[in-house]
Amino acid sequence: MSQSDSKQDVVAVRPDREIMTRQRLPYFIGISGETVGARGLSMHMVVIPPGARAEPHSHEGYETGIYVLEGRVETRYGNSLEHSVISEAGDFLFVPPSVPHEAINLSATEPARAIVARNDPAEQDRVIPYRISPA
């Protein structure tokens, strides 16, 4: 990945490998504090394999914007993951700070891809696993 020491440079980043996130989904890291010295933004591509789902989690103290490039994804959210929204290619999705949620690829045969932007340059540091309390 490209990185610059100067705060005045415009930097192009081409992700060269995927990483497995705390959400248990493959990410291709783009813009972050680590890759380009961003101070208030991260932006990546997530791939949800066919039939896969993220581990339930929340983002402590930062907002997330998602733009779905390919596929159909169900996002379950709330204290018991009792609410649901389905997004598909061309849709934007907003996740407020600290809201428990999980993403599920609704296709058993095709991956879903999305661009994820957050107002935290080191967003994985504050991804908090979420466990639903037994009733």
Side-chain angles (χ1 to χ4, degrees), residues 76-124:
R76 295 182 183 163
Y77 64 97
N79 290 333
S80 299
L81 303 177
E82 70 276 17
H83 304 290
S84 174
V85 61
I86 294 177
S87 50
E88 55 189 41
D91 290 346
F92 287 92
L93 186 69
F94 174 72
V95 181
S98 305
V99 171
H101 62 283
E102 69 177 344
I104 304 162
N105 183 348
L106 295 176
S107 173
T109 59
E110 299 294 324
R113 289 182 175 78
I115 299 298
V116 178
R118 299 191 171 119
N119 61 329
D120 185 339
E123 54 83 21
Q124 280 295 299

Side-chain angles (χ1 to χ4, degrees), residues 1-79:
M1 287 186 221
S2 301
Q3 184 170 3
S4 173
D5 293 330
S6 171
K7 300 292 184 203
Q8 298 299 313
D9 289 339
V10 173
V11 181
V13 177
R14 181 175 299 270
D16 56 7
R17 68 190 185 324
E18 73 179 46
I19 65 159
M20 189 58 65
T21 63
R22 291 182 183 172
Q23 299 95 309
R24 301 239 186 256
L25 292 175
Y27 266 41
F28 291 86
I29 302 299
I31 296 167
S32 71
E34 186 176 315
T35 61
V36 300
R39 292 179 279 172
L41 174 71
S42 62
M43 188 172 165
H44 316 294
M45 184 172 68
V46 62
V47 177
I48 307 174
R53 68 175 53 213
E55 290 291 321
H57 63 283
S58 65
H59 307 143
E60 181 183 312
Y62 61 87
E63 298 174 324
T64 301
I66 300 167
Y67 179 74
V68 180
L69 298 167
E70 297 176 344
R72 291 182 73 236
V73 178
E74 178 182 12
T75 302
R76 295 182 183 163
Y77 64 97
N79 290 333

